[in-house]
Amino acid sequence: YTLHTLFPYTTLFRSPERTWNLIDVYFSYTHCWLPIIEKHELLRLSYQYSKKESASSSHKSGDLAVLWAVLAYADHQSRAIKPFTTTDVTDGDWTVGRLYEESKTHIPPEEGHFELGHVQALLILTLLNMGQGRWSSAWILIGKAVRIAIDLGFNYATDKKCPNAHVLLGCFVLDTLIALHLDRTPQLRVSDIRQIGTIDEDGLDEWNPWMDCLSLERNSANGRRGPAATLSTFNCLVRLMAILNDITHDESTGTRRAHKCQELMDELGSCGDMSPMQFMSASNASDGTRPHLLPHQYHLHIAHLSTVTAVYAYLDASDNEGQASNGTNHRVLSASAYKTMWLIVRHSEAFGLSIVPPTFACFIMVTLRGFNEVPQSALDEQNVTSAEWQEKMFHSLSEIGRAHV
C-alpha cells in the first residue's frame, strides 16, 4: 500500500521551504526541556520527504505525524517572534493550522495501528494547544497520548536510552501540568513511571552546547560553550513533577498525611541537590549579578519554585491541630512567589517571552494558588500588598499569553 492508499484524505504535499529552519527552532527552544524526539531521525525523514520520497510506504504514519507536528509547533513559536522571523513567499499557504491538521491526518482513529511517532506527535500538538490557550483540547490530546503509550507498553520500558522511556516521561510531565492548570487529577501516577525512573544522562543531548538558532539572547556571554545538560535537566524536571503528581493524588489524613508531608519535603530537598539545580544555585550566587541561565534552566528553576510552593501549601493545609498556620510556611510561599516573578523578568530581559513554553502558565497558576493562602503580614518584608503581587502574576500570565497568540 502507498501512504495515499492508507490515508485517502491526505494530499502528498511537499514540505514547506522553511522546514529546516523550523526544525532548528524546535530543537533550540523545545527539545532542550522536553527531549522526546531523536533529531537525526527527524532530519532524515525531512530530507527524504523534501526529495519527494514521501509517497513511499517506507515512511510510517507515526513518523510523518511527528514531522508535521514539529513544524506546526515550531511555526507557532516562530510567528510569535515577529521581529526575528520571515516567511518565504512560497510558504504562504503553510499556516500553523494547516500544518496542525496535516499532522492529525497521520494519526489513526481508535481502531488504528499506533506507534511511537503518534504519541510524540500528540505530545507536541498538546503543547500547541496549551500555547494557544485551548486547555480543554490539550487535556483531551494528552489523555489520548497517555492511553496509547500505556497500550503500547511504554511504562515497561527497561532501556533508559529508549525513546519509549523519554516519551512516557514526557506524557507524565504534560499530563501532570495540564491537570494542575485545570485543577484536575492527572491520569498517570508516579507508580506508572517507577520502572523507568530516570533516563540515561550520557549522550549528545547532554554534552552538546545549547544553540540559540534565532539569536534571541541579549548580551550573550562570549564564548559560552558549556554542555546544555538537556537530559539531566529533564530528569530533574520529572522528579519535580512526581512531587506535584503525588500531591494531586493524595487523599491521606491524620498521621498518614503527616508522613506524606515529610516524604514530600525529603524528596524536594533531594531534587535541590541534583546537579542541574546546584548549577543554577551557583549561577544565582554571583555577587548580585543576574543569573546566567539558558531557557530550559529558567524553566527548571521556575518548576522547582512552583513545586516548593505546592509542597508548602500542602504542608500548611495539613495542620491537624487547628492551630494558626505556620508563619514559616507563609514566608516560604511569599519568597517563592517573589523569586518566580524575578526569574520571569530575568528571562524576559535575556530572551524575551516569545520562546517561553506554555508550561510557564501552569507553574504560575500553582504559585498563585499557594500565594492566595499567604496573609499580608508575610509580605511586609517585600514592601508590597497581596493584591499587588497577584496583579503582577496575572500580568505575567497575560504577557506570556500574548506572546503565543
Side-chain angles (χ1 to χ4, degrees):
Y1 295 99
T2 66
L3 192 63
H4 187 66
T5 304
L6 293 171
F7 299 92
Y9 301 105
T10 302
T11 304
L12 293 173
F13 295 117
R14 188 180 182 89
S15 56
E17 293 294 330
R18 65 188 187 284
T19 290
W20 302 104
N21 292 334
L22 292 178
I23 290 175
D24 283 342
V25 168
Y26 177 85
F27 280 93
S28 284
Y29 309 114
T30 302
H31 181 79
C32 60
W33 70 270
L34 189 68
I36 60 170
I37 298 174
E38 297 280 357
K39 186 173 184 179
H40 69 278
E41 296 279 358
L42 198 67
L43 290 174
R44 178 172 64 234
L45 177 63
S46 178
Y47 175 76
Q48 292 172 344
Y49 202 92
S50 70
K51 295 300 181 183
K52 290 192 174 182
E53 296 176 16
S54 54
S56 169
S57 59
S58 63
H59 295 313
K60 296 179 180 180
S61 65
D63 294 339
L64 294 170
V66 74
L67 171 62
W68 292 107
V70 164
L71 298 182
Y73 185 60
D75 194 35
H76 165 72
Q77 284 191 303
S78 295
R79 291 173 189 270
I81 311 168
K82 293 182 176 67
F84 305 93
T85 305
T86 57
T87 301
D88 193 292
V89 175
T90 60
D91 278 356
D93 292 337
W94 283 112
T95 62
V96 172
R98 188 181 174 197
L99 292 165
Y100 179 93
E101 291 301 324
E102 184 65 19
S103 176
K104 286 180 62 180
T105 301
H106 296 287
I107 301 174
E110 61 275 8
E111 70 275 9
H113 173 71
F114 292 104
E115 55 201 34
L116 172 66
H118 296 130
V119 186
Q120 292 169 317
L122 285 166
L123 289 180
I124 299 166
L125 296 181
T126 296
L127 276 179
L128 179 52
N129 278 278
M130 291 166 67
Q132 294 179 331
R134 299 198 296 261
W135 290 94
S136 291
S137 298
W139 173 253
I140 292 168
L141 285 177
I142 190 60
K144 186 173 183 178
V146 165
R147 293 190 180 279
I148 295 172
I150 295 297
D151 194 56
L152 293 175
F154 288 5
N155 51 319
Y156 296 114
T158 55
D159 183 355
K160 292 181 180 291
K161 290 187 176 182
C162 174
N164 294 359
H166 288 235
V167 170
L168 184 71
L169 295 178
C171 287
F172 180 79
V173 168
L174 294 188
D175 181 40
T176 299
L177 287 175
I178 294 169
L180 282 167
H181 186 85
L182 296 174
D183 201 17
R184 297 173 184 171
T185 303
Q187 295 180 82
L188 290 172
R189 293 174 176 266
V190 174
S191 58
D192 294 315
I193 64 167
R194 188 162 289 137
Q195 181 158 325
I196 296 173
T198 57
I199 58 174
D200 191 290
E201 296 180 0
D202 188 21
L204 288 176
D205 282 330
E206 182 72 8
W207 300 110
N208 269 344
W210 177 72
M211 301 301 293
D212 183 13
C213 76
L214 295 179
S215 301
L216 296 181
E217 186 172 10
R218 300 148 191 178
N219 303 317
S220 59
N222 293 327
R224 176 162 72 175
R225 296 289 293 176
T230 295
L231 302 178
S232 56
T233 300
F234 183 58
N235 275 335
C236 193
L237 177 66
V238 170
R239 287 186 63 176
L240 291 171
M241 294 306 100
I243 295 173
L244 292 176
N245 187 281
D246 261 346
I247 291 174
T248 64
H249 284 291
D250 184 60
E251 297 179 353
S252 59
T253 57
T255 304
R256 291 185 63 186
R257 189 176 179 92
H259 287 314
K260 188 66 178 179
C261 285
Q262 189 57 54
E263 288 177 10
L264 293 171
M265 293 291 290
D266 291 344
E267 178 61 12
L268 187 61
S270 179
C271 288
D273 291 335
M274 294 181 73
S275 57
M277 294 302 303
Q278 290 295 307
F279 169 79
M280 290 187 290
S281 297
S283 298
N284 285 328
S286 53
D287 299 328
T289 60
R290 70 182 187 181
H292 189 57
L293 303 178
L294 300 175
H296 55 297
Q297 293 168 341
Y298 278 109
H299 183 264
L300 180 62
H301 211 330
I302 290 175
H304 179 257
L305 288 169
S306 73
T307 306
V308 169
T309 298
V311 169
Y312 275 86
Y314 175 86
L315 192 64
D316 195 54
S318 299
D319 182 4
N320 298 305
E321 302 297 327
Q323 300 172 353
S325 294
N326 191 323
T328 300
N329 293 350
H330 289 155
R331 284 192 292 274
V332 171
L333 289 170
S334 62
S336 295
Y338 173 81
K339 291 176 184 176
T340 297
M341 295 304 305
W342 182 76
L343 281 169
I344 290 173
V345 169
R346 293 297 179 264
H347 190 294
S348 179
E349 291 174 349
F351 299 98
L353 293 176
S354 55
I355 61 167
V356 165
T359 47
F360 268 49
C362 306
F363 299 139
I364 293 175
M365 287 296 291
V366 172
T367 303
L368 270 169
R369 289 192 193 114
F371 186 76
N372 286 337
E373 306 302 319
V374 178
Q376 178 58 44
S377 58
L379 299 175
D380 290 342
E381 294 179 7
Q382 313 293 350
N383 296 317
V384 66
T385 67
S386 177
E388 288 171 335
W389 263 116
Q390 290 187 9
E391 184 179 348
K392 285 175 180 288
M393 284 187 273
F394 278 120
H395 179 71
S396 294
L397 273 174
S398 177
E399 287 292 306
I400 292 170
R402 278 200 295 270
H404 286 272
V405 172

